[in-house]
Every structure is written in C-alpha cells, then in structure tokens.
Amino acid sequence: MTVFNLGSINADHFYRLPHLPAPGETLAAQDYAIGLGGKGANQSVALARAGAEVRHVGAIGEDGRWMADRMTAAGVDCRHVAELPGASGHAIIEVETSGENLIIVYPGANRAISPGQALFALNTARAGDWLVMQNETSAQVEAAQAARAAGMTVVYSAAPFDAGSVRAVIDHISLLIVNEIEAAQLCADFGVTLQELPVARLVVTLGARGATWYDLAAGTQVSAPAFHVTPVDTTGAGDTFAGYLVAGLAEGLPPAEAMRLASAAAALKVTRAGTADAIPARAEVEAFLK
Ligand code: ADP
C-alpha cells in the first residue's frame, strides 16, 4: 500500500526578536534558524516515521533542494517532487521574547504544482493506495477526482481553512481531518452540525483534549483521549497526528487503534521543540505506548 501525499514543502525561517517590529521599524534579530516545514512535508515525514511507504507529490523552487534531501533522508520518496523556477514556499516566523509571533507565508512553488504533474504521479497508483492532501498546494481537485476514480482512499486536512477549497473537494474525499477551529468554520459555512457534514468519515482533533473519529455514514464515533504530557512546542501536532493516523489505517489497524497510535505520536511531538525534525519514530511511539 503506497500513500501519495500531494503536499506543501516550506522552508521555515525563524527570527528571534526583542519585540515584534512596528510599521517602518528596522530591527536586528537576536537569533536565526531555518527548518523544514509546510503541512505536507510534516505529514510525509510523519507517515514515513510511522513506517508507511510514502511518495510526496509536490514542488520546490531553485533554492529548495535541501528540503527534498531532508525528506528523502527521513524516508520519503521524493521522485515526484518537481524543481520549478522561482522561490520555494517559505515562512518568515518572527517570535518575540513573550512568545508572541508574526508569520508571513509565501506559497511559492507549492501553488505552482500543475494538475498534469499530480495526475502523472497518480498514474502509478493502484486501487487501495491512499492520497493525502492539505490546503497549501494547487491541483487538489484534479488529484482527488483522479484518485477516487482509481479506487484510492482520499484523505484531506482542511488546513489552513478556506471554505471554497473544502467545498471543491468534499465530494471526492473519504476522510476529512480538522481541528476544532476548522470544524466550527466548516459547520458555520455549510450551516449544519458536525454530524450533518457531507463526508463519510471525519476526525476532529481537540488539542490537549484528544480527538474524535466520526463514522458519519454508520452513525458511530470513537474518542481517543490525549496522553498527559508537559507541552514544549505544539507546532506540528496536528500533522504528526494526521500522518500517524493514515499510516495506521493504511496498514489495516481499526480506527480506534490508529487513533491511539496517532495520539501517542502527537503527544511525543509536543514534548519536543521543532516540527518535521521533532516527529517521533514508530519505535519511540510503540515504547511510549507500552
Ligand atoms: P492542530 O495542531 O492541527 O491544531 P491539535 O492542536 O488539535 O491540532 O492537536 C492534534 C493532536 O495532537 C490532538 O488530537 C492530540 O492528540 C495531540 N495534542 C495536541 N496538544 C497536546 C497536548 N498539549 N498534550 C497531549 N497531546 C496533544
């Protein structure tokens, strides 16, 4: 079973500042670090660390080869990551001493993925394979339609939330993953309750309160409480959860077990600073669960 992930790849530039700049102000940063980020790359790394065979479908700019290399080193197959002219997707993350932040995201190559590139990659998929998508790339609708027609299971994280994007793909997806803020936005947009959303299966993550799996077609639900840990950095918790959940489901675990595995992986992630690099390996998660 292969998991194809049509997903963003971003360079996260972190600047530590004495305070956030006012308009017109020039400020010297006290520290700078660069890391691999983007919801897509994070989810691919989580899938690979969970043990799934994962092929990333995405794009980097001329400055992004190091990111594909880092994903490859984490076990992600990057044969369908295109190098396009122009800049890679990147985020400028300014953090002041109080922890307050200011973030600019430039989608760059992530929004230049053509439907043709996505379809070319999905041509190699077999029935029973999985397609994972988030909302930071182009070509989602075409990819979801093709994947559905090919007998794949399509999973969509509706983040960052945008009503138009969700509406465009919702008919083609088998499992929707949202956090509680996105769930509320979705219900408000459709004017329905959670149970009335037009999807077969839905997972709502609730931060330190855990996550709930709804099988809306069957009218059942499963709750996975969060593990009690001392949080250090919650960035990437949702991506770790989504990657581990899909890896568990793709290997045939029942939803309750896949949710437990995902909760444990996400709990371990929040005890560590960083995003992609801080996602735990399967063996660490299994040891945590013992
Ligand atoms: P997102 O990062 O997308 O906003 P959430 O904050 O809902 O997603 O977190 C995703 C999952 O990560 C949760 O369902 C939970 O399993 C785990 N998680 C998040 N925060 C904590 C925490 N403080 N303690 C333990 N687990 C957490």
Side-chain angles (χ1 to χ4, degrees):
M1 216 78 85
T2 304
V3 181
F4 290 76
N5 182 6
L6 170 62
S8 57
I9 304 174
N10 279 348
D12 285 341
H13 299 266
F14 294 92
Y15 298 87
R16 193 157 55 81
L17 302 172
H19 59 264
L20 297 180
E25 183 179 3
T26 299
L27 200 57
Q30 297 160 320
D31 197 11
Y32 168 70
I34 184 167
L36 172 64
K39 299 191 71 62
N42 294 341
Q43 292 190 8
S44 275
V45 170
L47 279 154
R49 297 233 164 106
E53 189 192 322
V54 52
R55 268 190 221 180
H56 196 94
V57 183
I60 50 176
E62 293 142 353
D63 53 352
R65 183 50 37 200
W66 66 273
M67 296 192 281
D69 290 345
R70 197 168 295 181
M71 289 167 70
T72 304
V76 179
D77 183 332
C78 287
R79 80 180 78 170
H80 295 300
V81 173
E83 192 173 320
L84 303 178
S88 295
H90 58 268
I92 306 292
I93 304 166
E94 301 174 8
V95 189
E96 68 171 25
T97 319
S98 71
E100 190 63 64
N101 64 26
L102 193 154
I103 302 176
I104 299 168
V105 181
Y106 179 66
N110 296 310
R111 294 270 190 215
I113 300 167
S114 67
Q117 183 198 334
L119 298 184
F120 182 83
L122 291 173
N123 262 336
T124 60
R126 288 170 302 220
D129 284 346
W130 292 63
L131 172 66
V132 171
M133 310 186 301
Q134 316 78 31
N135 193 22
E136 288 183 335
T137 67
S138 43
Q140 290 148 11
V141 177
E142 296 85 352
Q145 278 170 334
R148 213 37 196 286
M152 299 172 76
T153 304
V154 182
V155 183
Y156 180 62
S157 297
F161 184 79
D162 155 48
S165 302
V166 182
R167 282 184 175 272
V169 294
I170 201 154
D171 289 343
H172 312 297
I173 59 182
S174 319
L175 171 62
L176 178 66
I177 304 177
V178 288
N179 66 20
E180 57 187 327
I181 298 166
E182 294 147 6
Q185 290 170 315
L186 202 58
C187 289
D189 185 65
F190 278 87
V192 297
T193 64
L194 266 187
Q195 280 80 0
E196 292 165 343
L197 283 168
V199 278
R201 290 172 291 168
L202 170 73
V203 168
V204 182
T205 64
L206 307 162
R209 288 181 291 112
T212 307
W213 164 286
Y214 298 88
D215 191 325
L216 297 178
T220 57
Q221 71 183 65
V222 176
S223 290
F227 289 86
H228 188 72
V229 291
T230 306
V232 172
D233 177 2
T234 58
T235 345
D239 294 333
T240 304
F241 188 97
Y244 263 84
L245 177 68
V246 172
L249 295 171
E251 65 188 56
L253 293 182
E257 276 180 49
M259 292 278 285
R260 186 163 177 269
L261 180 72
S263 302
L268 274 178
K269 158 63 208 78
V270 307
T271 64
R272 302 172 183 176
T275 40
D277 296 332
I279 296 171
R282 180 70 174 258
E284 296 172 279
V285 180
E286 303 281 0
F288 178 80
L289 281 171
K290 280 211 177 102

